[in-house]
Amino acid sequence: MITAYVRADDRLTAVPLEPGAPLPAGTIWLDVLRPAEVEREQISAQLGVDLPTREDMSEIEASSRLYLEGEAAFLTTPVISRGDSGHPDLGLLTFVLTRGCIITVRHTEPLWLAIFATRAMRHPGLVTGPMDVLLGLLEAVVDRAADVLELVGGRLDEISRQIFAAANRQRAEEAPVARSARRRAGARRARKRGSDALKSAITAIGWAGDLTQKVRDSLAGLERLGVFVVTVAGTRLDKDQKVRLKTITRDIHSLVEHAAFQAHQTGFLLDATLGVINIEQTNIIKIFSVAAVAFLPPTLVASIYGMNFAHMPELDQSWGYPLALVLMVLSAILPLLYFRRRGWL
């Protein structure tokens, strides 16, 4: 599908371009969504440029994403789409910058592009030529990346509070206080909620890390694109456009630093979550270890008196059985008292 944005009488209008139809006079922007072969041939015949295929756009080499063919500059960068859904995706957008117009080739439908097009048609002075379209779209991409980073930052703050709240509950439960049956049941439910919270925190951290990485990929592509634009199209920029491009580049640098900070914060929260889970598992293993040590002396006493030797005088006495039972109980209680005194219980 091809949409031509035509500037005439100081107005910008969108004109759907049918297959085989001539290019309207005054076209400054062609937006090509999922181009079919007939549409690729149509643009090639009218503008003399060969649009890149989806496979060409997916190439990761810089020379395959940023290059010149004659007087046309081809600029491909990853962009964030579906940013308002809570689950943004990373698509590819190619700018084909020619002398007369700019062509955008895409296989994704980001909302920010539609918003920019609507805004450009409402405000005639916003877009007067192809370079204004390019700069406006770059500004929209950067704004969307900033919005996604803000979304991730807010979620990371919630995850942080969730993790350390679970850690505080765990520490409170470990306090050596006497509990009634009701309080013990409440503690078990609290532990279950804390465990579920930590599991959901790991999922949320993975979501935040994935989004942050997508934004970093998009910003890296925008950085390279900005440098290439200055190199190949610097003479086509007027003074105001150079200032806008410089501002965009500065914003990209600041967002790159912020994305790196959020990536570090994501790693820290993941380590903290795994640390709290490890502490919880260590406490469980500690209980089993204490139980094993407590039952070891009674087992030893029972094993001794289970031997059928002829000379074991206690076996012939009436108090032999009660004595064995008392020894087993004492041998279990004494280690438990020792562990409690040392603060291990």
Side-chain angles (χ1 to χ4, degrees), residues 12-259:
L12 185 70
T13 57
V15 179
L17 197 62
E18 298 295 331
L23 196 66
T27 299
I28 62 173
W29 175 20
L30 282 178
D31 183 34
V32 184
L33 175 62
R34 302 185 186 93
E37 186 61 30
V38 63
E39 293 172 331
R40 292 166 49 82
E41 293 176 355
Q42 177 183 359
I43 292 178
S44 178
Q46 296 188 13
L47 295 178
V49 294
D50 295 327
L51 299 183
T53 64
R54 189 167 190 172
E55 291 73 19
D56 294 334
M57 295 169 63
S58 300
E59 296 288 341
I60 62 174
E61 299 92 347
S63 59
S64 299
R65 291 192 171 184
L66 306 170
Y67 59 94
L68 292 172
E69 281 189 2
E71 293 187 352
F74 291 77
L75 319 168
T76 301
T77 181
V79 295
I80 297 295
S81 61
R82 298 189 303 170
D84 57 334
S85 66
H87 299 279
D89 195 9
L90 193 65
L92 291 171
L93 176 63
T94 296
F95 301 95
V96 183
L97 187 61
T98 66
R99 286 288 180 181
C101 72
I102 185 170
I103 307 170
T104 53
V105 185
R106 56 193 175 94
H107 296 269
T108 182
E109 300 183 48
L111 181 61
W112 53 262
L113 191 145
I115 293 175
F116 169 77
T118 302
R119 185 163 162 258
M121 289 186 288
R122 283 181 183 172
H123 303 280
L126 185 64
V127 173
T128 59
M131 290 305 303
D132 288 331
V133 176
L134 174 62
L135 295 176
L137 289 174
L138 290 180
E139 289 170 344
V141 175
V142 173
D143 288 342
R144 178 56 63 190
D147 292 340
V148 174
L149 288 180
E150 289 177 4
L151 174 67
V152 173
R155 189 69 182 103
L156 288 177
D157 290 339
E158 294 177 8
I159 296 171
S160 178
R161 289 192 295 269
Q162 182 179 347
I163 293 170
F164 293 107
N168 290 333
R169 283 196 301 267
Q170 187 181 79
R171 187 168 60 247
E173 290 169 8
E174 292 175 355
V177 295
R179 290 197 179 110
S180 63
R182 180 178 297 179
R183 292 191 63 187
R184 287 195 296 270
R188 285 194 296 270
R189 289 193 295 269
R191 281 196 296 271
K192 179 66 168 58
R193 289 194 299 269
S195 179
D196 293 341
L198 291 175
K199 291 178 183 178
S200 64
I202 290 180
T203 303
I205 290 172
W207 171 85
D210 178 62
L211 275 191
T212 302
Q213 186 56 47
K214 288 178 180 178
V215 173
R216 295 181 75 179
D217 290 342
S218 177
L219 293 173
L222 291 173
E223 276 192 308
R224 292 191 294 267
L225 188 149
V227 174
F228 193 78
V229 168
V230 172
T231 303
V232 303
T235 56
R236 306 185 199 178
L237 299 171
D238 58 30
K239 184 177 179 180
D240 292 337
Q241 290 171 342
K242 289 180 180 179
V243 172
R244 288 178 66 185
L245 183 58
K246 186 176 181 180
T247 301
I248 292 170
T249 304
R250 186 167 56 246
D251 290 341
I252 292 173
H253 289 325
S254 64
L255 289 178
V256 166
E257 294 177 357
H258 188 66

